[in-house]
Amino acid sequence: MRITVTVDGTSYTDDVEPRTLLVHYLREQVGKTGTVIGCDTSNCGACTVHLNGQSVKSCSVLAVQADAADITTIEGLAKDGQLHPVQQAFHDNHALQCGYCTPGMIMQSIDLLTENPDPSEEAVRHGLEGNLCRCTGYQNIVRAVQDAAGKVRAAQTPAEQPAGSQS
């Protein structure tokens, strides 16, 4: 089957087997190896990408299901040499150890902050439930997400800030 997708702002048209998982398509045909394969069973979340603005585990989506979609991978977040605020917060807060879960954690965190721009520690932990880290114990990850939320809010003009948020 032939699909056309936009990945990190670039359009791709490729022939794919109907059974090809999106994670394999992104890594093997598009070359986006920052999207990692952790489990192939959707348990770990390491392969999380944004599909039309929503985080999905790319090991649970067929490439043909993504036809005509806009996909953002971890490689598509940095702009003009500047890390995305969540990427920067993960760096600043040492929210990684081996780094294997980091791409999926960052992608899921961005989705979480889109839905809840001022999450409590409990809300962050709940929002990241489907993403597993076997190294850090999550404390630095939670701290990074909350740090990123604060930086994003601080950078917004008052009109852009969600109702009830505090900078």
Side-chain angles (χ1 to χ4, degrees):
M1 296 189 71
R2 183 164 286 236
I3 64 170
T4 299
V5 295
T6 300
V7 180
D8 298 335
T10 302
S11 181
Y12 297 86
T13 299
D14 290 299
D15 291 323
V16 295
E17 291 288 326
R19 61 189 166 96
T20 302
L21 295 173
L22 182 57
V23 67
H24 293 293
Y25 171 73
L26 291 171
R27 290 180 58 80
E28 296 164 14
Q29 287 187 254
V30 179
K32 298 295 183 173
T33 56
T35 301
V36 296
I37 299 170
C39 66
D40 269 342
T41 60
S42 77
N43 288 322
C44 75
C47 66
T48 302
V49 299
H50 291 171
L51 180 66
N52 294 326
Q54 296 289 311
S55 63
V56 298
K57 295 176 182 179
S58 61
C59 74
S60 66
V61 176
L62 295 171
V64 296
Q65 292 174 295
D67 189 27
D70 184 27
I71 301 165
T72 304
T73 71
I74 190 74
E75 288 112 329
L77 295 179
K79 301 291 184 216
D80 300 322
Q82 295 294 310
L83 294 176
H84 184 281
V86 175
Q87 288 175 306
Q88 188 63 54
F90 267 64
H91 177 269
D92 293 346
N93 289 277
H94 310 288
L96 56 104
Q97 192 161 349
C98 81
Y100 204 79
C101 72
T102 305
M105 285 285 188
I106 288 173
M107 299 306 287
Q108 182 61 33
S109 296
I110 292 168
D111 197 40
L112 166 67
L113 292 176
T114 298
E115 294 174 18
N116 182 355
D118 191 15
S120 65
E121 179 178 333
E122 182 180 340
V124 173
R125 290 180 183 276
H126 180 72
L128 297 178
E129 273 182 350
N131 292 70
L132 302 178
C133 173
R134 291 175 174 91
C135 301
T136 70
Y138 294 92
Q139 191 55 40
N140 289 346
I141 293 170
V142 172
R143 191 174 301 125
V145 174
Q146 291 185 303
D147 181 40
K151 288 178 180 174
V152 168
R153 284 191 317 274
Q156 292 174 331
T157 66
E160 295 173 319
Q161 291 183 1
S165 72
Q166 302 157 359
S167 304

